[in-house]
C-alpha cells in the first residue's frame, strides 16, 4: 500500500439527499470530522390538485429542494475548507450527484476536486475511510504516472 504524500491535506465530502459529512485526511489519518443534517429534499411528492399533476413540475420541485440542499452544503464546505487549510477534495456520494455537488462548490474549491467514490453515508465509518484512502491512492498514483510520462514521451 502506497503512503499518501505529506503535503496533501484532503477534504473528504460525503453527500446524500438528507445530510452531508466532511472530514480531513492527511497521511492516511482522519484529523477533523463534521456532520451537517438537513432533511429537506423530498424523495416523492404526493399528487394534489391539478397544478401538481404534471410529472415535470414534480421533478422540478424535487430538483429545487436538492439545489437548495447542495447550496447550503457548498457554503458549509467552503468555510470548513478555509478553516482547515485544504489542498484537495474527494467526493463520496451516489454517482448521479457527483457533477451536481462539484457544480455547487465555490470557485477555488471546485477546481480542487481530485476524485470521487461511490458510498452510502449509512455505511460504517471505517468502510468509508477505506474507500476514501483507495480513491486518494488512485489520484496520487495517476499523478506519479503523469510525472514520469513527460520523461518518456
Amino acid at each position: 500500500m502506497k503512503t499518501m504524500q505529506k503535503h496533501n491535506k484532503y477534504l473528504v465530502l460525503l453527500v446524500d439527499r438528507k445530510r452531508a459529512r466532511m472530514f480531513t485526511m492527511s497521511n492516511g489519518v482522519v484529523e477533523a470530522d463534521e456532520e451537517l443534517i438537513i432533511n429537506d429534499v423530498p424523495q416523492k411528492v404526493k399528487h394534489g390538485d391539478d397544478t401538481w399533476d404534471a410529472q415535470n413540475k414534480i421533478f422540478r420541485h424535487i430538483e429545487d429542494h436538492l439545489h437548495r440542499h447542495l447550496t447550503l452544503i457548498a457554503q458549509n464546505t467552503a468555510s470548513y475548507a478555509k478553516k482547515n487549510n485544504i489542498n484537495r477534495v474527494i467526493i463520496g456520494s451516489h454517482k448521479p450527484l457527483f457533477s451536481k455537488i462539484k457544480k455547487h462548490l465555490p470557485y477555488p474549491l471546485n477546481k480542487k476536486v481530485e476524485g470521487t467514490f461511490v458510498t452510502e453515508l449509512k455505511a460504517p465509518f471505517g468502510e468509508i475511510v477505506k474507500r476514501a484512502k483507495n480513491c486518494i491512492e488512485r489520484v496520487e498514483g495517476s499523478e506519479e504516472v503523469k510525472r514520469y510520462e513527460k520523461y518518456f514521451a
Side-chain angles (χ1 to χ4, degrees):
M1 183 180 262
K2 296 180 202 172
T3 59
M4 292 175 216
Q5 295 178 5
K6 291 182 181 179
H7 65 279
N8 290 327
K9 188 171 186 180
Y10 288 87
L11 164 65
V12 180
L13 175 61
L14 307 169
V15 179
D16 68 8
R17 289 177 169 262
K18 293 185 179 186
R19 59 191 180 132
R21 186 173 192 173
M22 298 168 264
F23 60 91
T24 57
M25 287 186 73
S26 183
N27 296 328
V29 178
V30 176
E31 294 178 349
D33 189 11
E34 190 172 307
E35 189 167 14
L36 176 67
I37 299 174
I38 309 160
N39 196 1
D40 194 31
V41 182
Q43 297 295 319
K44 295 180 181 178
V45 176
K46 292 181 183 178
H47 291 278
D49 58 8
D50 290 337
T51 59
W52 283 96
D53 280 341
Q55 190 64 34
N56 61 347
K57 288 184 181 181
I58 294 171
F59 176 74
R60 283 195 312 264
H61 177 73
I62 292 172
E63 284 296 309
D64 180 54
H65 277 279
L66 181 61
H67 168 72
R68 285 187 266 148
H69 174 66
L70 293 177
T71 301
L72 184 60
I73 289 170
Q75 290 169 352
N76 285 311
T77 303
S79 64
Y80 182 85
K82 189 179 245 184
K83 180 174 64 175
N84 289 296
N85 194 22
I86 298 300
N87 300 67
R88 297 171 170 204
V89 178
I90 302 292
I91 298 173
S93 185
H94 300 285
K95 215 171 202 173
L97 290 178
F98 291 151
S99 62
K100 291 178 183 183
I101 296 166
K102 189 175 177 180
K103 183 181 92 175
H104 280 82
L105 291 174
Y107 164 63
L109 203 55
N110 66 0
K111 298 298 181 196
K112 294 180 180 182
V113 175
E114 297 289 332
T116 59
F117 64 98
V118 177
T119 190
E120 290 276 340
L121 263 74
K122 295 184 280 186
F125 190 66
E127 179 65 27
I128 291 172
V129 170
K130 181 179 164 186
R131 289 181 187 181
K133 283 181 182 179
N134 288 341
C135 185
I136 291 169
E137 286 176 359
R138 278 194 317 268
V139 167
E140 291 181 351
S142 67
E143 284 179 357
E144 195 170 309
V145 168
K146 287 179 186 175
R147 201 173 316 126
Y148 289 112
E149 278 180 348
K150 67 181 177 184
Y151 296 114
F152 297 111

CSV table of all heavy atoms in Angstrom, one decimal, residues 32-63:
chain,number,residue,atom,x,y,z
A,32,ALA,N,-10.1,15.8,11.3
A,32,ALA,CA,-11.2,16.6,11.8
A,32,ALA,C,-12.5,16.0,11.1
A,32,ALA,O,-12.5,15.5,10.0
A,32,ALA,CB,-11.1,18.1,11.4
A,33,ASP,N,-13.6,16.1,11.8
A,33,ASP,CA,-14.9,15.5,11.3
A,33,ASP,C,-16.0,16.4,11.7
A,33,ASP,O,-16.1,16.9,12.8
A,33,ASP,CB,-15.0,14.1,12.0
A,33,ASP,CG,-16.2,13.3,11.5
A,33,ASP,OD1,-16.7,13.7,10.4
A,33,ASP,OD2,-16.5,12.3,12.1
A,34,GLU,N,-16.9,16.6,10.7
A,34,GLU,CA,-18.1,17.5,11.0
A,34,GLU,C,-19.3,16.9,10.2
A,34,GLU,O,-19.1,16.5,9.0
A,34,GLU,CB,-17.8,18.9,10.5
A,34,GLU,CG,-18.8,19.9,10.9
A,34,GLU,CD,-18.3,21.3,10.5
A,34,GLU,OE1,-17.2,21.7,11.0
A,34,GLU,OE2,-19.0,22.0,9.8
A,35,GLU,N,-20.5,16.9,10.8
A,35,GLU,CA,-21.7,16.4,10.1
A,35,GLU,C,-22.7,17.5,10.0
A,35,GLU,O,-22.9,18.3,10.9
A,35,GLU,CB,-22.2,15.2,10.8
A,35,GLU,CG,-23.3,14.5,10.1
A,35,GLU,CD,-23.6,13.2,10.6
A,35,GLU,OE1,-23.2,12.8,11.7
A,35,GLU,OE2,-24.3,12.4,9.9
A,36,LEU,N,-23.4,17.6,8.9
A,36,LEU,CA,-24.5,18.5,8.6
A,36,LEU,C,-25.7,17.7,8.3
A,36,LEU,O,-25.7,17.0,7.3
A,36,LEU,CB,-24.1,19.5,7.5
A,36,LEU,CG,-25.0,20.5,7.0
A,36,LEU,CD1,-25.3,21.5,8.1
A,36,LEU,CD2,-24.5,21.2,5.8
A,37,ILE,N,-26.8,17.9,9.0
A,37,ILE,CA,-28.0,17.1,8.8
A,37,ILE,C,-29.1,18.1,8.3
A,37,ILE,O,-29.4,19.1,9.0
A,37,ILE,CB,-28.5,16.4,10.0
A,37,ILE,CG1,-27.5,15.4,10.4
A,37,ILE,CG2,-29.8,15.7,9.7
A,37,ILE,CD1,-27.8,14.6,11.7
A,38,ILE,N,-29.6,17.9,7.1
A,38,ILE,CA,-30.7,18.7,6.5
A,38,ILE,C,-31.6,17.7,5.9
A,38,ILE,O,-31.3,17.1,4.9
A,38,ILE,CB,-30.2,19.6,5.4
A,38,ILE,CG1,-29.0,20.4,5.9
A,38,ILE,CG2,-31.3,20.5,4.9
A,38,ILE,CD1,-28.1,21.0,4.8
A,39,ASN,N,-32.8,17.6,6.5
A,39,ASN,CA,-33.7,16.6,6.0
A,39,ASN,C,-34.8,17.3,5.2
A,39,ASN,O,-36.0,17.4,5.6
A,39,ASN,CB,-34.3,15.8,7.1
A,39,ASN,CG,-35.0,14.5,6.6
A,39,ASN,OD1,-35.1,14.2,5.5
A,39,ASN,ND2,-35.6,13.8,7.6
A,40,ASP,N,-34.4,17.9,4.1
A,40,ASP,CA,-35.3,18.8,3.4
A,40,ASP,C,-35.7,18.4,1.9
A,40,ASP,O,-36.5,18.9,1.3
A,40,ASP,CB,-34.7,20.2,3.4
A,40,ASP,CG,-35.7,21.3,2.9
A,40,ASP,OD1,-36.9,21.1,3.2
A,40,ASP,OD2,-35.3,22.3,2.3
A,41,VAL,N,-34.9,17.4,1.4
A,41,VAL,CA,-35.1,17.0,0.0
A,41,VAL,C,-36.1,15.8,-0.1
A,41,VAL,O,-35.8,14.8,0.4
A,41,VAL,CB,-33.8,16.6,-0.7
A,41,VAL,CG1,-34.0,16.3,-2.1
A,41,VAL,CG2,-32.8,17.7,-0.5
A,42,PRO,N,-37.3,16.1,-0.6
A,42,PRO,CA,-38.3,15.0,-0.7
A,42,PRO,C,-37.9,13.9,-1.7
A,42,PRO,O,-37.3,14.3,-2.8
A,42,PRO,CB,-39.6,15.7,-1.1
A,42,PRO,CG,-39.1,16.9,-1.8
A,42,PRO,CD,-37.8,17.3,-1.2
A,43,GLN,N,-38.2,12.7,-1.4
A,43,GLN,CA,-38.0,11.6,-2.4
A,43,GLN,C,-39.2,11.5,-3.3
A,43,GLN,O,-39.0,11.2,-4.5
A,43,GLN,CB,-37.7,10.3,-1.6
A,43,GLN,CG,-36.5,10.3,-0.8
A,43,GLN,CD,-35.3,10.4,-1.6
A,43,GLN,OE1,-35.1,9.8,-2.6
A,43,GLN,NE2,-34.3,11.2,-1.1
A,44,LYS,N,-40.3,11.7,-2.8
A,44,LYS,CA,-41.6,11.6,-3.5
A,44,LYS,C,-42.5,12.7,-3.1
A,44,LYS,O,-42.4,13.2,-2.0
A,44,LYS,CB,-42.3,10.3,-3.3
A,44,LYS,CG,-41.5,9.1,-3.7
A,44,LYS,CD,-42.3,7.8,-3.5
A,44,LYS,CE,-41.4,6.6,-3.9
A,44,LYS,NZ,-42.1,5.3,-3.6
A,45,VAL,N,-43.3,13.2,-4.1
A,45,VAL,CA,-44.2,14.3,-3.8
A,45,VAL,C,-45.6,13.7,-4.1
A,45,VAL,O,-45.8,13.1,-5.1
A,45,VAL,CB,-43.9,15.5,-4.6
A,45,VAL,CG1,-45.0,16.6,-4.4
A,45,VAL,CG2,-42.5,16.0,-4.3
A,46,LYS,N,-46.5,14.0,-3.1
A,46,LYS,CA,-47.9,13.5,-3.3
A,46,LYS,C,-48.6,14.3,-4.4
A,46,LYS,O,-48.4,15.5,-4.5
A,46,LYS,CB,-48.7,13.6,-2.0
A,46,LYS,CG,-48.2,12.6,-1.0
A,46,LYS,CD,-49.1,12.8,0.2
A,46,LYS,CE,-48.6,11.9,1.4
A,46,LYS,NZ,-49.4,12.1,2.6
A,47,HIS,N,-49.4,13.6,-5.2
A,47,HIS,CA,-50.2,14.3,-6.2
A,47,HIS,C,-51.3,15.0,-5.5
A,47,HIS,O,-52.1,14.4,-4.8
A,47,HIS,CB,-50.7,13.4,-7.3
A,47,HIS,CG,-49.6,12.8,-8.2
A,47,HIS,ND1,-49.1,13.5,-9.2
A,47,HIS,CD2,-48.9,11.6,-8.1
A,47,HIS,CE1,-48.2,12.8,-9.8
A,47,HIS,NE2,-48.0,11.6,-9.1
A,48,GLY,N,-51.5,16.3,-5.7
A,48,GLY,CA,-52.5,17.0,-5.1
A,48,GLY,C,-53.6,17.5,-6.2
A,48,GLY,O,-54.1,16.6,-6.9
A,49,ASP,N,-53.8,18.8,-6.2
A,49,ASP,CA,-54.7,19.3,-7.2
A,49,ASP,C,-54.1,19.2,-8.6
A,49,ASP,O,-53.0,18.7,-8.8
A,49,ASP,CB,-55.1,20.7,-6.8
A,49,ASP,CG,-53.9,21.6,-6.7
A,49,ASP,OD1,-52.8,21.2,-7.1
A,49,ASP,OD2,-54.0,22.8,-6.3
A,50,ASP,N,-54.8,19.7,-9.6
A,50,ASP,CA,-54.4,19.6,-11.0
A,50,ASP,C,-53.1,20.3,-11.3
A,50,ASP,O,-52.4,19.9,-12.2
A,50,ASP,CB,-55.5,20.2,-11.9
A,50,ASP,CG,-56.7,19.3,-11.9
A,50,ASP,OD1,-56.6,18.1,-11.5
A,50,ASP,OD2,-57.8,19.8,-12.2
A,51,THR,N,-52.7,21.3,-10.5
A,51,THR,CA,-51.5,22.1,-10.8
A,51,THR,C,-50.2,21.2,-10.6
A,51,THR,O,-49.2,21.4,-11.2
A,51,THR,CB,-51.4,23.4,-10.0
A,51,THR,OG1,-51.4,23.0,-8.6
A,51,THR,CG2,-52.5,24.3,-10.3
A,52,TRP,N,-50.3,20.3,-9.7
A,52,TRP,CA,-49.2,19.4,-9.4
A,52,TRP,C,-49.2,18.1,-10.1
A,52,TRP,O,-48.3,17.3,-9.9
A,52,TRP,CB,-49.1,19.2,-7.9
A,52,TRP,CG,-48.5,20.4,-7.2
A,52,TRP,CD1,-49.2,21.4,-6.6
A,52,TRP,CD2,-47.2,20.7,-7.0
A,52,TRP,NE1,-48.4,22.3,-6.1
A,52,TRP,CE2,-47.1,22.0,-6.3
A,52,TRP,CE3,-46.0,20.2,-7.4
A,52,TRP,CZ2,-45.9,22.6,-6.0
A,52,TRP,CZ3,-44.8,20.8,-7.1
A,52,TRP,CH2,-44.8,22.0,-6.4
A,53,ASP,N,-50.2,17.9,-10.9
A,53,ASP,CA,-50.3,16.6,-11.5
A,53,ASP,C,-49.3,16.4,-12.7
A,53,ASP,O,-48.9,15.2,-13.0
A,53,ASP,CB,-51.7,16.3,-12.1
A,53,ASP,CG,-52.6,15.9,-11.0
A,53,ASP,OD1,-52.2,15.4,-10.0
A,53,ASP,OD2,-53.9,16.0,-11.2
A,54,ALA,N,-48.7,17.4,-13.2
A,54,ALA,CA,-47.8,17.3,-14.3
A,54,ALA,C,-46.4,16.7,-13.7
A,54,ALA,O,-45.9,17.3,-12.7
A,54,ALA,CB,-47.5,18.6,-15.0
A,55,GLN,N,-45.9,15.7,-14.3
A,55,GLN,CA,-44.7,15.0,-13.8
A,55,GLN,C,-43.5,15.9,-13.8
A,55,GLN,O,-42.7,15.9,-12.9
A,55,GLN,CB,-44.5,13.7,-14.6
A,55,GLN,CG,-43.4,12.8,-14.0
A,55,GLN,CD,-43.8,12.3,-12.7
A,55,GLN,OE1,-44.9,12.0,-12.4
A,55,GLN,NE2,-42.8,12.1,-11.8
A,56,ASN,N,-43.4,16.8,-14.8
A,56,ASN,CA,-42.2,17.6,-14.9
A,56,ASN,C,-42.3,18.7,-13.8
A,56,ASN,O,-41.2,19.1,-13.3
A,56,ASN,CB,-42.1,18.3,-16.2
A,56,ASN,CG,-43.3,19.2,-16.6
A,56,ASN,OD1,-44.3,19.1,-15.9
A,56,ASN,ND2,-43.2,20.0,-17.6
A,57,LYS,N,-43.4,19.1,-13.3
A,57,LYS,CA,-43.5,20.0,-12.2
A,57,LYS,C,-43.0,19.4,-10.9
A,57,LYS,O,-42.4,20.0,-10.1
A,57,LYS,CB,-44.9,20.6,-12.0
A,57,LYS,CG,-45.3,21.5,-13.1
A,57,LYS,CD,-46.7,22.1,-12.9
A,57,LYS,CE,-47.0,23.1,-14.0
A,57,LYS,NZ,-48.3,23.7,-13.8
A,58,ILE,N,-43.4,18.1,-10.7
A,58,ILE,CA,-42.9,17.4,-9.5
A,58,ILE,C,-41.4,17.2,-9.6
A,58,ILE,O,-40.7,17.5,-8.6
A,58,ILE,CB,-43.6,16.0,-9.4
A,58,ILE,CG1,-45.1,16.2,-9.2
A,58,ILE,CG2,-43.0,15.2,-8.4
A,58,ILE,CD1,-45.9,15.0,-9.3
A,59,PHE,N,-40.9,16.9,-10.7
A,59,PHE,CA,-39.4,16.7,-10.9
A,59,PHE,C,-38.7,18.1,-10.6
A,59,PHE,O,-37.7,18.1,-9.8
A,59,PHE,CB,-39.1,16.3,-12.3
A,59,PHE,CG,-37.6,16.2,-12.5
A,59,PHE,CD1,-36.9,15.2,-12.0
A,59,PHE,CD2,-37.0,17.1,-13.3
A,59,PHE,CE1,-35.5,15.1,-12.2
A,59,PHE,CE2,-35.6,17.1,-13.6
A,59,PHE,CZ,-34.9,16.0,-13.0
A,60,ARG,N,-39.2,19.2,-11.1
A,60,ARG,CA,-38.6,20.5,-10.8
A,60,ARG,C,-38.7,20.8,-9.3
A,60,ARG,O,-37.8,21.4,-8.8
A,60,ARG,CB,-39.3,21.6,-11.7
A,60,ARG,CG,-38.8,21.5,-13.1
A,60,ARG,CD,-39.2,22.8,-13.8
A,60,ARG,NE,-40.6,23.3,-13.7
A,60,ARG,CZ,-41.6,23.0,-14.5
A,60,ARG,NH1,-41.4,22.3,-15.6
A,60,ARG,NH2,-42.8,23.5,-14.3
A,61,HIS,N,-39.8,20.5,-8.7
A,61,HIS,CA,-39.9,20.7,-7.3
A,61,HIS,C,-38.9,20.0,-6.5
A,61,HIS,O,-38.2,20.6,-5.6
A,61,HIS,CB,-41.3,20.3,-6.8
A,61,HIS,CG,-41.6,20.4,-5.4
A,61,HIS,ND1,-41.8,21.7,-4.8
A,61,HIS,CD2,-41.7,19.5,-4.4
A,61,HIS,CE1,-42.0,21.5,-3.5
A,61,HIS,NE2,-41.9,20.2,-3.2
A,62,ILE,N,-38.7,18.7,-6.8
A,62,ILE,CA,-37.6,18.0,-6.1
A,62,ILE,C,-36.2,18.5,-6.4
A,62,ILE,O,-35.4,18.6,-5.5
A,62,ILE,CB,-37.8,16.5,-6.4
A,62,ILE,CG1,-39.1,15.9,-5.9
A,62,ILE,CG2,-36.6,15.7,-5.9
A,62,ILE,CD1,-39.4,14.5,-6.3
A,63,GLU,N,-36.0,18.8,-7.6
A,63,GLU,CA,-34.7,19.4,-8.0
A,63,GLU,C,-34.4,20.7,-7.3
A,63,GLU,O,-33.3,21.0,-7.0
A,63,GLU,CB,-34.6,19.6,-9.5
A,63,GLU,CG,-34.4,18.3,-10.3
A,63,GLU,CD,-33.1,17.6,-9.9
A,63,GLU,OE1,-32.0,18.2,-10.0
A,63,GLU,OE2,-33.1,16.4,-9.6
